[in-house]
């Protein structure tokens, strides 16, 4: 949204750094709400609003977001990575854990560019070819490469997923309306 150099990613605020793919549609409303809490903004980007929303509300910021997104926020003080994906999974979030390292990207080829060697996941290929199903698990066509499900967040510490949870479930939302 803000094409100025100051909005380039990764964007940093205090001890947190964000990498973000997507768009937050209600970022102006969130920005105004955060301004009433004393936040000062240096850009006109939805990325900065998202980062400050996380600083203010933690994982609860996801309840306030309207948009399509996948993002990761590194907390240098806590030494943990918070990752999230939009409710319907419009923006992808792929990840791979190898030894003590955790890799993530919005495209699988980004993981390959980071040094992950592609190995075929025969079970998922079989499911696709024989049963015409693919997106029924977090696995992908490649071994050890997973996708964060829509409407989920996770926390990674020391290269290990410590917590993964759903923050939004379409069937549950429909049932409760």
């Amino acid at each position: 949204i803000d094409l100025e150099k100051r909005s380039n990613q990764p964007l940093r605020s205090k001890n947190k750094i964000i990498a973000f793919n997507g768009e937050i549609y209600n970022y102006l409303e969130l920005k105004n709400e955060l301004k009433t809490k004393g936040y000062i903004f240096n850009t006109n980007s939805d990325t900065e609003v998202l980062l400050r929303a996380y600083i203010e509300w933690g994982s609860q910021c996801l309840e306030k977001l309207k948009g399509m997104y996948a993002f990761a926020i590194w907390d240098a003080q806590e030494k943990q990575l918070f990752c999230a994906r939009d409710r319907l999974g419009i923006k992808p979030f792929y990840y791979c854990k190898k030894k003590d390292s955790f890799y993530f990207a919005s495209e699988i080829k980004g993981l390959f560019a980071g040094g992950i060697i592609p190995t075929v996941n025969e079970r998922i290929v079989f499911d696709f070819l024989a049963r015409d199903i693919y997106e029924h698990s977090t696995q992908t066509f490649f071994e050890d490469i997973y996708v964060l499900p829509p409407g989920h967040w996770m926390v990674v510490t020391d290269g290990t997923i410590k917590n993964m949870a759903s923050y939004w479930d379409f069937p549950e939302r429909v049932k409760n309306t």
Side-chain angles (χ1 to χ4, degrees):
I1 292 174
D2 184 351
L3 301 178
E4 295 292 323
K5 187 176 180 177
R6 67 179 183 244
S7 294
N8 289 352
Q9 292 187 44
L11 196 65
R12 168 175 275 181
S13 179
K14 298 181 184 177
N15 60 352
K16 294 178 178 49
I17 303 168
I18 187 171
F20 167 58
N21 177 20
E23 185 175 347
I24 306 301
Y25 305 140
N26 63 331
Y27 82 99
L28 291 175
E29 293 87 350
L30 293 172
K31 185 175 187 176
N32 288 333
E33 184 176 350
L34 289 163
K35 281 181 177 179
T36 67
K37 294 181 175 288
Y39 286 89
I40 298 169
F41 291 84
N42 301 310
T43 74
N44 294 314
S45 72
D46 55 349
T47 307
E48 184 181 15
V49 172
L50 175 55
L51 180 57
R52 296 199 190 286
Y54 178 78
I55 291 168
E56 178 64 25
W57 298 300
S59 65
Q60 295 302 308
C61 75
L62 299 170
E63 296 294 333
K64 295 178 170 282
L65 300 179
K66 293 178 183 163
M68 55 178 182
Y69 51 84
F71 66 89
I73 297 176
W74 171 248
D75 186 323
Q77 185 175 348
E78 299 293 325
K79 305 258 189 274
Q80 70 179 21
L81 184 70
F82 178 83
C83 311
R85 188 171 179 205
D86 64 77
R87 293 171 172 89
L88 298 178
I90 298 168
K91 292 295 182 179
F93 189 101
Y94 296 101
Y95 65 92
C96 177
K97 183 193 177 327
K98 291 287 187 182
K99 297 183 181 170
D100 293 335
S101 297
F102 181 84
Y103 301 83
F104 67 91
S106 57
E107 294 185 33
I108 290 178
K109 66 183 178 182
L111 297 173
F112 299 154
I116 301 300
I117 308 294
T119 305
V120 173
N121 184 337
E122 292 179 10
R123 180 176 165 259
I124 297 301
V125 171
F126 174 81
D127 284 350
F128 178 72
L129 294 175
R131 299 183 180 120
D132 196 29
I133 56 174
Y134 172 59
E135 293 185 353
H136 63 290
S137 76
T138 60
Q139 296 183 47
T140 67
F141 285 123
F142 301 97
E143 288 286 341
D144 302 322
I145 296 179
Y146 301 91
V147 62
L148 182 63
H152 278 69
W153 59 265
M154 70 178 162
V155 173
V156 180
T157 306
D158 295 326
T160 302
I161 297 170
K162 297 294 183 185
N163 196 2
M164 183 184 296
S166 171
Y167 69 90
W168 194 85
D169 182 59
F170 181 72
E172 194 63 33
R173 297 284 171 137
V174 171
K175 184 171 74 174
N176 291 331
T177 57

